Amino acid sequence: MMARPWSGRPALMIPAAFLGGSAAVVAAPQPAVAEEADVRFDIPAGDLAAALEAYGRQAGRQILFPYDAAAGRQSTRVHGAMLRRLALERLLRGSGLEIVRFDARLITLRRSPAKSARRRPARREQQLPAPLPPAPPPQDIIVTGRLGPALLTGTEASYAVSEIGQTALIGRAALSTADVFKEVPGFWVEATGGEASNNVRVRGIPTDGYSSVALLEDGLPVQYDGGLAYLNTDQSYRVDASVMRAEAIRGGPSAVFLANAPGGGLNFITRDPVADPGHELRVTASDRGLLRVDGLLAQSLNPDLGVLLAGFWRRDPGLRDPGFTADEGGQFRARAVYDDGGTRLSLDLRHLDDSVILYLPVPLALRADGSIAAIPGFDPLYDTLAGPDTRELVLQTARGPYAVDLSEGTHSRVTSLTFLGRHKLGEDAAVELQARWHKDHTLRNALFPVGSPMTAEEFVARNRASLLAAFPGSSSVAFRYAADGSPFGGGAAGNGLVMSANLLSVDLPLEEAIVDARMTAPFALGGQHGLALGGTWARTSFGFDREMGTLLLDVRGQARRLDLAAMDDRGAVTGSLTNRGFLRYGSLFDSARITAGNLALYAADEWRFAPRWRMDIGARLEQTSIRGHAAGKTLYDLGDPYTLADDAVSGSDGSRLPIRHRYSGFNWSVGLNFEAADNTGLFVRYSCSRRLPSASAFNDPARTDHGVVPITLLDAGLTMRRRHWRISAVAFYTHFDHLPFTDYRFDTASNAYVERTSIADTSTAGIEFSGSWRPSGPFSIEATATLQDPRYRNFSFTELVGEKPVTHDASGNQLVRVPRAALRLRPELDLFNGTLQLGVEFVRYSQRFADIANSQRLPAYSLVNASVAWKPNASFSLTVDAANLANSLGVTEGNPRAGSFHNSIGQGEYFFARPEFGRTVRVTMTVR
């Protein structure tokens, strides 16, 4: 849907599920007279949108309406003294719009579901579309993070919320779901993993993946627990043309209404075919070879019933070049909606079959001055270690050969069926039922680098003695390429470096059901209340089968496997440290079957106890029951006398270890909002929650360090919206008590993981800012900023130094990988009456650290992005988006497998880290 250009008048976006598209709002001073008094109106016949704006000014009311449904329609003249409602009803005759809310504070209109609107014929000169100036920043009707029956605007909310429009979603969808979070202040996003399996953190919350942030689709979780190991929520969801907008909330009531999401949530809102019929075809291509086609057909079958068909198909060689197709697949969805004004029902079927590569850390050099540089033969902006030589390999396991195909990447096959129902009980009361069933089978294959790159001579020195001792009669060792036996000779890149990497394959079947039922009702007691009572039930059953082998590789783009062989005096091979490039088969094995049952009861009240004062109170009681079993493990020697690679293969010992846990937590939140003036809101909120352990934490039944984590969050914010500008500033404080931190380090000497855990606290204080300035001319500017101080508290750990235990105190250190400052600035020019839009985006992230000891610094970096959009009419647009124009080498994370507690990489050495992608240009053509 095209966003209308700005007219210099206040405007807002209404959820598609409510109004079905863009909407305008006219703000006027609150009337001092009673509603029963007549008001004199003088509104000439003409464009309906302009007439409604004139009505808002003359009636002294704030009026919200779908702008695209009103613009271009002819209105009748309204003249004389009459009641406000009567005047509005006369103005709306034959318009296809109806009144949803009419009170002393706010009037809201929507497309009428009862009949199809017909435009009145206008004179020929009126049929020519007048140039429309660009719209101001959106002010939303909030639907996420609340259950109250009354409409709520952005300045009335007692928590931090941001709206992401379809234009931004279109640009981000070709990258990743996680990339959408970059539009929101307070979020730190590591979207360098590709389209899926990324990390999202908010307000310094020190957990990876989506373990503290929820992804929602029309208010229900895409996956009930986003913290399941290797099952990031973004793996099973893709944005397509059916998504109209998204709302992001930070902190606040998310702990009450969302499961395991103290940090917040991102709610994707799907298009309503009843209120917003239409069609769309979108084609995206890039200079890296991407081709993506999105389509949508939304059709209203009658005034109360509509259907939607949408989906996408995409093929992409990759933002980094693996030598094979990195991403391929698509999604299809069908939706039926019935809405007669009193009862609303929708049924949604979505099927995803998509493979995406997981980009992992790449080899880099650390200069003496602390700056990062490329290693000769490896371009950190465009290269990846995966390649044709590692694409299809066979692991030797205790259960037999196991094939691993890296071109599968993260292959998700997801079928999701969602039912949403709402029935009004009187004017504002309602009962709602939401249910989602989804079945997900994910195969996740990837190549994880471990340790650090080293010279071939250093690797030989570390392994020569043990290799010669294992094969008597040997006198020398030599490197050869595993694929053809040719000598290594320093490698094709000429850098003479070798490295280790884990070839990992995880099979993850999952089936889940979520049911949420609630009742909302208003009542009067010391003011106006909006009460909501509800409960959520969820059952998740999943499997976890993991196989891994460790490879020896050279260091270059599309790395090749190496063998280190022992030879006798005649040059004959007597044995090998490796086998077909594998240093160790079965370096990791796990198998588990787990079922988690969750039951939550919640209650909330939105209480307006004075004309400009509003309080939110909410509480949630949740219990989780975790049951299942995991395979016992032992080591096997597969019996090949010519290699050491199969001497210690991890596998099942045939036993089953039971898993039985039960936890409960009570969350509550209270917020206070004060409307200091029209379109000006102040709020403060305090939340206390408990993060329950994730069921997948017990894939290893021996884990005893997991428990309920108390979390405290405090917010205070200001939101102001004016004719030409808006600002939002939120100060926040988060505190975690007794959070387990695990150092899951891969030991390259034993080719096995070494694990240790420390229980500690964290605290983060900061401020989030977002704002925009849109004067009457073509220039506008938007800015977001997050300034925070994320710190560990009461954190100590012990490690062996020279075979002696040494205790380190990390209290006061900066949280790993979280920047203290994140800035985003976007100036834009809107030319030729909105036909051409030019934008540049400047991004800056301060330094971070790869480990808790803060020994490995990740330097600050900047990015420059740009976009050009040509929109000659409402039916066609062409956009060009360019990311990382300057090819900045910005590193988002280090390598956790090198040690998250303490990384001993020193200056002038080599290490692994995951940088931003190199310059990429995408072109998107949209036809509506």
Side-chain angles (χ1 to χ4, degrees), residues 11 116 135 173 377 403 447 458 493 520 555 596 606 616 619 634 662 670 682 724 809 829 836 881:
S116 299
L447 192 65
E458 182 181 358
T520 59
V555 176
E606 296 181 353
D616 298 338
T634 189
R662 185 183 296 271
V670 56
L682 296 164
H724 296 302
D809 186 0
L829 286 176
L836 184 65
D881 295 286

CSV table of all heavy atoms in Angstrom, one decimal, residues 11 116 135 173 377 403 447 458 493 520 555 596 606 616 619 634 662 670 682 724 809 829 836 881:
chain,number,residue,atom,x,y,z
A,11,ALA,N,-0.9,13.0,10.9
A,11,ALA,CA,-1.5,11.8,10.4
A,11,ALA,C,-1.0,10.6,11.2
A,11,ALA,O,-0.1,10.6,11.9
A,11,ALA,CB,-1.1,11.6,8.9
A,116,SER,N,-20.3,-1.9,0.1
A,116,SER,CA,-19.2,-1.5,-0.7
A,116,SER,C,-19.4,0.0,-1.0
A,116,SER,O,-20.5,0.4,-1.4
A,116,SER,CB,-19.1,-2.3,-2.0
A,116,SER,OG,-18.9,-3.6,-1.7
A,135,ALA,N,3.5,12.5,4.1
A,135,ALA,CA,2.9,12.3,5.4
A,135,ALA,C,3.9,12.5,6.6
A,135,ALA,O,5.0,12.1,6.4
A,135,ALA,CB,2.2,11.0,5.5
A,173,ALA,N,12.9,-7.1,4.4
A,173,ALA,CA,12.5,-8.5,4.2
A,173,ALA,C,13.5,-9.3,3.3
A,173,ALA,O,13.6,-10.5,3.5
A,173,ALA,CB,11.1,-8.6,3.5
A,377,GLY,N,44.3,-13.6,0.9
A,377,GLY,CA,43.6,-14.7,0.4
A,377,GLY,C,42.2,-14.9,0.9
A,377,GLY,O,41.5,-15.8,0.4
A,403,ALA,N,25.5,-38.5,6.4
A,403,ALA,CA,25.7,-37.5,5.3
A,403,ALA,C,25.3,-36.1,5.8
A,403,ALA,O,24.3,-35.9,6.4
A,403,ALA,CB,25.0,-37.9,4.1
A,447,LEU,N,29.2,-24.9,9.2
A,447,LEU,CA,30.6,-25.1,9.4
A,447,LEU,C,31.0,-24.0,10.4
A,447,LEU,O,31.1,-22.9,10.1
A,447,LEU,CB,31.4,-25.0,8.1
A,447,LEU,CG,32.8,-25.4,8.1
A,447,LEU,CD1,32.9,-26.9,8.4
A,447,LEU,CD2,33.5,-25.1,6.8
A,458,GLU,N,53.3,-24.2,13.1
A,458,GLU,CA,52.8,-24.3,14.5
A,458,GLU,C,51.9,-25.5,14.7
A,458,GLU,O,52.0,-26.1,15.7
A,458,GLU,CB,52.1,-23.0,14.8
A,458,GLU,CG,51.6,-22.9,16.3
A,458,GLU,CD,50.9,-21.7,16.6
A,458,GLU,OE1,50.7,-20.8,15.8
A,458,GLU,OE2,50.4,-21.6,17.8
A,493,ALA,N,46.1,-19.6,-1.2
A,493,ALA,CA,46.1,-18.2,-0.9
A,493,ALA,C,47.5,-17.7,-0.5
A,493,ALA,O,47.7,-16.5,-0.4
A,493,ALA,CB,45.1,-18.0,0.4
A,520,THR,N,-12.6,-9.2,27.6
A,520,THR,CA,-12.3,-7.8,27.8
A,520,THR,C,-13.6,-7.1,28.1
A,520,THR,O,-14.6,-7.4,27.4
A,520,THR,CB,-11.6,-7.1,26.7
A,520,THR,OG1,-12.3,-7.2,25.5
A,520,THR,CG2,-10.2,-7.8,26.4
A,555,VAL,N,43.2,-21.8,5.0
A,555,VAL,CA,42.5,-20.5,5.3
A,555,VAL,C,42.4,-19.7,4.0
A,555,VAL,O,43.4,-19.2,3.5
A,555,VAL,CB,43.3,-19.7,6.3
A,555,VAL,CG1,42.6,-18.3,6.5
A,555,VAL,CG2,43.3,-20.4,7.7
A,596,ALA,N,7.3,-29.9,26.6
A,596,ALA,CA,7.1,-28.9,27.6
A,596,ALA,C,5.6,-28.4,27.6
A,596,ALA,O,5.1,-28.2,26.5
A,596,ALA,CB,8.0,-27.7,27.3
A,606,GLU,N,-6.8,-1.4,32.4
A,606,GLU,CA,-6.4,-0.1,32.0
A,606,GLU,C,-7.4,0.9,32.6
A,606,GLU,O,-8.6,1.0,32.2
A,606,GLU,CB,-6.4,0.0,30.4
A,606,GLU,CG,-5.4,-0.9,29.8
A,606,GLU,CD,-5.4,-0.8,28.3
A,606,GLU,OE1,-6.3,-0.1,27.7
A,606,GLU,OE2,-4.5,-1.4,27.6
A,616,ASP,N,-2.0,1.5,34.0
A,616,ASP,CA,-2.1,0.1,33.6
A,616,ASP,C,-1.5,-0.8,34.7
A,616,ASP,O,-0.5,-0.6,35.3
A,616,ASP,CB,-1.2,-0.2,32.4
A,616,ASP,CG,-1.7,0.6,31.2
A,616,ASP,OD1,-2.8,1.1,31.2
A,616,ASP,OD2,-0.8,0.9,30.3
A,619,ALA,N,-0.8,-8.7,35.7
A,619,ALA,CA,-0.1,-9.7,36.3
A,619,ALA,C,-0.2,-11.0,35.6
A,619,ALA,O,-1.2,-11.2,34.9
A,619,ALA,CB,-0.6,-9.9,37.8
A,634,THR,N,28.8,-42.3,25.4
A,634,THR,CA,30.1,-43.0,25.7
A,634,THR,C,31.0,-42.7,24.4
A,634,THR,O,30.5,-42.2,23.4
A,634,THR,CB,29.9,-44.5,26.0
A,634,THR,OG1,31.2,-45.0,26.4
A,634,THR,CG2,29.5,-45.2,24.7
A,662,ARG,N,9.9,-28.9,36.9
A,662,ARG,CA,8.7,-28.1,36.9
A,662,ARG,C,9.1,-26.7,37.6
A,662,ARG,O,9.8,-26.7,38.6
A,662,ARG,CB,7.6,-28.7,37.8
A,662,ARG,CG,6.3,-27.9,37.8
A,662,ARG,CD,5.3,-28.6,38.7
A,662,ARG,NE,4.9,-29.9,38.2
A,662,ARG,CZ,3.9,-30.2,37.3
A,662,ARG,NH1,3.2,-29.2,36.9
A,662,ARG,NH2,3.7,-31.4,37.0
A,670,VAL,N,3.2,-2.4,36.4
A,670,VAL,CA,2.3,-1.3,36.6
A,670,VAL,C,2.9,-0.1,35.9
A,670,VAL,O,4.1,0.2,36.0
A,670,VAL,CB,2.1,-1.0,38.1
A,670,VAL,CG1,3.4,-0.7,38.8
A,670,VAL,CG2,1.2,0.2,38.3
A,682,LEU,N,3.6,11.5,29.0
A,682,LEU,CA,4.6,11.1,29.9
A,682,LEU,C,4.3,9.8,30.6
A,682,LEU,O,3.1,9.6,30.9
A,682,LEU,CB,4.8,12.2,31.0
A,682,LEU,CG,5.3,13.6,30.6
A,682,LEU,CD1,5.1,14.6,31.7
A,682,LEU,CD2,6.8,13.5,30.2
A,724,HIS,N,5.1,19.2,12.7
A,724,HIS,CA,6.2,19.0,11.8
A,724,HIS,C,7.3,18.1,12.5
A,724,HIS,O,8.3,17.8,11.8
A,724,HIS,CB,6.9,20.3,11.4
A,724,HIS,CG,6.0,21.2,10.5
A,724,HIS,ND1,5.5,20.8,9.4
A,724,HIS,CD2,5.5,22.4,10.7
A,724,HIS,CE1,4.7,21.7,8.8
A,724,HIS,NE2,4.7,22.7,9.7
A,809,ASP,N,37.8,-11.6,38.5
A,809,ASP,CA,36.6,-10.8,38.9
A,809,ASP,C,36.2,-10.0,37.7
A,809,ASP,O,36.9,-9.0,37.3
A,809,ASP,CB,36.9,-10.0,40.1
A,809,ASP,CG,35.6,-9.3,40.6
A,809,ASP,OD1,34.5,-9.5,40.0
A,809,ASP,OD2,35.7,-8.6,41.6
A,829,LEU,N,15.1,13.4,1.0
A,829,LEU,CA,14.5,14.4,0.2
A,829,LEU,C,13.3,13.8,-0.6
A,829,LEU,O,13.4,12.7,-1.1
A,829,LEU,CB,15.6,14.9,-0.9
A,829,LEU,CG,16.7,15.8,-0.3
A,829,LEU,CD1,17.6,16.1,-1.5
A,829,LEU,CD2,16.1,17.1,0.2
A,836,LEU,N,9.7,11.2,-6.4
A,836,LEU,CA,11.1,10.7,-6.2
A,836,LEU,C,11.6,11.0,-4.7
A,836,LEU,O,11.4,12.1,-4.2
A,836,LEU,CB,12.1,11.4,-7.1
A,836,LEU,CG,13.5,11.0,-7.1
A,836,LEU,CD1,13.6,9.5,-7.6
A,836,LEU,CD2,14.4,11.9,-8.0
A,881,ASP,N,18.0,0.0,-3.1
A,881,ASP,CA,18.6,0.1,-1.7
A,881,ASP,C,20.1,-0.4,-1.8
A,881,ASP,O,20.3,-1.5,-2.3
A,881,ASP,CB,17.8,-0.8,-0.7
A,881,ASP,CG,16.4,-0.3,-0.5
A,881,ASP,OD1,16.3,0.7,0.2
A,881,ASP,OD2,15.5,-1.0,-1.1
